């Protein structure tokens, strides 16, 4: 079963796909979680990243371009 962040990522991508009908959808969520910063490992800088790709972004070139673009903001 997916966790809440994964479910949100998938839901956003699916809504965009179903309502706008683009050739491809790429969604990435980067979140800080209180369980990581306040409890457990106590790493305030820790982030969880989830990504959902659909359509054209499943092909190698567009996927690499997207992931490269968002890794160097």
């Amino acid at each position: 079963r997916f966790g809440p962040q994964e479910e949100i990522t998938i839901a956003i991508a699916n809504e965009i796909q179903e309502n706008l009908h683009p050739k491809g959808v790429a969604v990435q969520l980067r979140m800080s979680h209180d369980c990581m910063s306040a409890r457990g490992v106590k790493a305030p800088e820790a982030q969880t990243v989830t990504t959902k790709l659909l359509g054209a972004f499943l092909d190698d070139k567009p996927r690499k371009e997207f992931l490269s673009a968002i890794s160097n903001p």
Side-chain angles (χ1 to χ4, degrees):
R1 180 174 183 308
F2 291 115
Q5 183 170 335
E6 291 87 357
E7 290 175 354
I8 293 168
T9 306
I10 293 167
I12 291 169
N14 287 341
E15 285 294 319
I16 292 169
Q17 182 68 39
E18 292 168 12
N19 290 292
L20 301 178
H21 310 288
K23 291 181 181 179
V25 176
V27 174
Q28 184 176 84
L29 297 182
R30 186 178 306 264
M31 298 180 168
S32 299
H33 295 270
D34 288 342
C35 62
M36 295 291 286
S37 59
R39 304 178 298 170
V41 296
K42 295 186 179 179
E45 70 285 348
Q47 294 184 334
T48 302
V49 178
T50 54
T51 305
K52 179 66 178 174
L53 306 172
L54 299 171
F57 286 101
L58 295 174
D59 293 335
D60 199 42
K61 186 177 182 206
R63 179 180 63 246
K64 285 181 180 178
E65 289 175 359
F66 169 72
L67 295 174
S68 176
I70 62 173
S71 67
N72 300 309

